[in-house]
Structure formats: C-alpha cells, structure tokens
Amino acid sequence: MEFSAQQIAALLKGTVVGNPEVKVGNFSKIEEGKAGTLTFLANPKYEHYIYNTKASIVLVNNDFVPTAPIQATLIQVENAYAALAMLLNLIEQHQTKQLSGIDTTAFVASTASIGEKCYVGHFSYIGEQSKIGENSQIHPQVFIGDHVVIGKNCILYPHVTIYDGCVIGDNCILHAGSVIGADGFGFAPEGEVYKKIPQLGNVIIEDNVEIGANTTIDRAVFGSTLIHRGVKLDNLVQIAHNVEVGENTVMAAQVGIAGSTHIGKHCMFGGQVGLAGHIKIADHVTFGAQCGVISDIKEPATLLGAPAMQAKAFMRSSAIFNRLPDMYRNMGNLQRELEKLQRELEDLQREMRGIKNVNP
C-alpha cells in the first residue's frame, strides 16, 4: 500500500514541507534512502545525510532548520523518532496474523483458565490453577508453571519460561528464551561448602512491560521481585532476587542488577551496566555503557565509568588518563632530577662541614 505525505502528516498531526502528494510504500535508512520510501532524522549526527538522501519523505522534528536545499518532502512532527514508531506499529498491526485457538499438542491443565481469543501454540505447557487473560498469545514451546497469572493482550514468544506463582500484567511482551521466576542466587557458606537458601517469593511484572530475549528475572527470597509498569528490558539482562525496577525505566543489553537493589522511575541504563546489591537509585538517573555502581545514587544524574562518577568528572579523568604515560615519564625525570639535586646538596653540606672543621 502507498500513502501520500499529506495522509501521513494527517495521521501524525504533522506539517508537510514540500510536495504533499508524493507517495511512499516502504521505509529506509536515511543514509540508504530510495525513491518511494520514508525515512526519519532524529539524531543530529545524521543530518548531513538528509541533503543527499533519495528517500521521498523524511520525518523531522519541528525545530529542525536545514542549512542546505533538500530534495525530499519533509513532515515536521514534535518527535520524529516517536512518530516513526507509531507508523511502524500501525504497519505491524496490519501485517500480523491474529492467531487463536489451542493447539492439540499443547498441554493445558484442567484447572487452568484460558481467556477468550487466546492462542496456545504447539507443545506449550500451562500448569495447574494458572490464568491467561483474553487475547493473549502463547507461542510454541512456552512453559507456564502452576498458579501463574498472565494478563490481557500479552505475547509470549517461543521458549519463554515462567515459574510457579509469577504474575504478568496486561499488554506485556516476553521475547524468546526469557526466564521469569528462576531461583535467585542465594547460598549460605557453611565451612568450605555453600548451602542453598530457598527462594520462596515470586516475580510481579506490571502492565506494558517488554522483556528481551534470554533475559532473566529471579524470584524473591521472600515477597516479590517487582518490575513496575512501562519498563523495557533489552536482551540478556539479569535482574536478581528482590530487585525493584521503577516505572518506565529502560535497560540495554547485558545489564546486571544484584539482589535487593531498588531502582527509581525513568532511569536509563546503557549496555553492560552493573549495579551492586542492596543499594537505592533515585528517579531519572542515566548510566552510560559499562558503568559500575557500588553505592546509593540519591538524586538525578548522568554517570559514567567504574566506579561510577558524574559524567563531566569522568570526561576530565579520561583526558588525564590518555596523558598518563607522558605524565609518568615526566615524573620519572623529575624524580631523577630531584635525587641528583639531593646528592649535590648533601655533597655541598659535607664540603661546608669540612671547611668549618679546618677553620674553627
């Protein structure tokens, strides 16, 4: 299907700059734009591409001011990235086939409850007393233990595993291989061995959460590991037992959160960030990639490095780090000069004492 710039602008509540009748039927990257496609510009680093892109339509922010002629038609919107996401969601909804029904190879316990318009795929397992909300999709080879609650409009992709007693809210997406409710890493040392501490709690995931492939969220020792509404977790994220993650916090791949840490709302984690256990993170904290955090963060901040520090301090430290070899060499030269001067001073002092002894 093709849509004109005017139609797209009306949908996005944007403004057309250029030919409102130009049509597109696909998407492209701005650096690889082709005629008949729509692209976007949200990151200023890519601005130079817009002046030569062959894409027919480009979504731009309202405050974008070109510095050279542009061949493409522009659609000005409040947030180009969010507008693109909206278009992609609409396309996905149009293309996605709505699945329904319970496959004959699936196992559903007699005491389980399956809502209307649900789909349960090949070889999936749903345990005793579990409840699946209406319009949810359980793809092939998903395991759902006993006494699990899954809300409405959820999607569980293949090989998702949800242990007993866990709770998933409405409109959640769990990607392939994610594991919810495995035992937390709890062991008590006894002499030279470690004794397992039973993990008797569960995991509660609130509404509108998305969990990436092979991400793991451990059950609590007591109470619940809690993922609040709107949280987005990338692939290969590890959330330990009794952690609490605040609303609308996002984490990139390979983030690791140790046990009993409390994370505030609207935090952002770059890839491979690591947080120590039993600490508290304020709302609106941003962690750069590979940040290492070992103590409480009590107010909004942007942090970098390991151990984490304020971004400006990290940048200054990094500049010094690059000069450390020269500084070390200079310090060595200064040390040798100082030792030479010290020897000369000692020789002079001995000479002066000799003169004094000769001429009392």
Side-chain angles (χ1 to χ4, degrees):
M1 298 177 65
E2 289 189 331
F3 298 91
S4 69
Q6 189 61 56
Q7 289 173 316
I8 296 171
L11 178 65
L12 301 176
K13 298 180 180 179
T15 302
V16 177
V17 179
N19 179 8
E21 300 304 321
V22 65
K23 292 185 177 181
V24 294
N26 207 340
F27 298 90
S28 65
K29 298 179 181 179
I30 193 168
E31 64 270 31
E32 300 173 0
K34 299 178 181 179
T37 66
L38 178 145
T39 189
F40 75 107
L41 175 65
N43 189 332
K45 292 182 180 179
Y46 289 81
E47 179 181 338
H48 61 283
Y49 289 114
I50 197 172
Y51 303 110
N52 297 308
T53 187
K54 302 300 182 182
S56 299
I57 299 175
V58 183
L59 300 178
V60 297
N61 295 331
N62 285 329
D63 59 0
F64 172 68
V65 179
T67 58
I70 298 174
Q71 296 180 352
T73 293
L74 305 183
I75 299 179
Q76 296 177 324
V77 292
E78 182 176 349
N79 184 323
Y81 200 45
L84 177 72
M86 179 179 176
L87 290 177
L88 291 173
N89 279 322
L90 290 173
I91 297 297
E92 182 184 43
Q93 291 171 15
H94 177 75
Q95 293 179 344
T96 301
K97 180 181 178 182
Q98 185 64 34
L99 302 171
S100 62
I102 300 174
D103 190 86
T104 56
T105 62
F107 173 83
V108 179
S110 60
T111 57
S113 172
I114 308 296
E116 296 182 0
K117 299 181 181 179
C118 281
Y119 164 66
V120 182
H122 296 285
F123 301 107
S124 285
Y125 178 100
I126 299 176
E128 301 289 345
Q129 302 293 332
S130 289
K131 297 180 180 180
I132 312 298
E134 63 184 45
N135 204 41
S136 287
Q137 298 184 36
I138 312 300
H139 283 258
Q141 298 183 351
V142 168
F143 174 87
I144 297 171
D146 298 339
H147 304 282
V148 171
V149 177
I150 296 175
K152 299 181 293 185
N153 305 310
C154 291
I155 302 175
L156 277 61
Y157 285 104
H159 301 287
V160 167
T161 298
I162 303 179
Y163 282 55
D164 295 353
C166 293
V167 178
I168 313 293
D170 298 336
N171 308 309
C172 291
I173 299 173
L174 280 67
H175 287 280
S178 55
V179 179
I180 310 301
D183 282 355
F185 192 69
F187 299 90
E190 288 190 356
E192 296 182 351
V193 299
Y194 290 89
K195 185 175 181 179
K196 183 176 177 63
I197 299 172
Q199 311 288 291
L200 303 180
N202 72 342
V203 174
I204 296 177
I205 297 174
E206 295 184 346
D207 300 343
N208 304 308
V209 171
E210 182 159 351
I211 296 171
N214 294 318
T215 283
T216 59
I217 304 175
D218 292 343
R219 70 194 311 107
V221 181
F222 308 117
S224 301
T225 301
L226 184 56
I227 310 298
H228 286 288
R229 63 185 300 113
V231 168
K232 313 298 181 187
L233 305 180
D234 197 0
N235 304 330
L236 298 168
V237 171
Q238 157 65 13
I239 306 293
H241 55 195
N242 290 96
V243 167
E244 181 175 354
V245 181
E247 293 181 8
N248 299 306
T249 284
V250 295
M251 297 183 186
Q254 298 183 357
V255 166
I257 312 297
S260 299
T261 286
H262 288 228
I263 298 167
K265 304 175 183 177
H266 302 282
C267 293
M268 300 178 67
F269 289 70
Q272 297 185 333
V273 171
L275 266 60
H278 303 274
I279 62 175
K280 294 184 178 180
I281 306 299
D283 299 341
H284 298 282
V285 178
T286 298
F287 300 94
Q290 296 187 328
C291 214
V293 185
I294 58 176
S295 59
D296 293 351
I297 307 297
K298 298 180 179 179
E299 58 186 19
T302 298
L303 304 175
L304 297 171
M309 64 180 74
Q310 294 284 344
K312 290 183 179 180
F314 178 84
M315 294 300 184
R316 291 195 294 268
S317 299
S318 296
I320 294 172
F321 182 81
N322 291 333
R323 290 160 32 211
L324 282 178
D326 292 336
M327 294 171 66
Y328 180 76
R329 185 166 51 253
N330 292 337
M331 287 178 63
N333 292 335
L334 289 172
Q335 181 68 28
R336 286 188 289 273
E337 288 290 332
L338 183 61
E339 291 172 353
K340 179 181 178 183
L341 289 172
Q342 184 69 31
R343 288 193 299 270
E344 291 176 354
L345 178 60
E346 290 173 352
D347 291 343
L348 181 60
Q349 289 174 337
R350 283 193 294 270
E351 184 178 342
M352 294 298 293
R353 285 195 298 270
I355 294 173
K356 185 177 179 180
N357 292 332
V358 171
N359 300 297

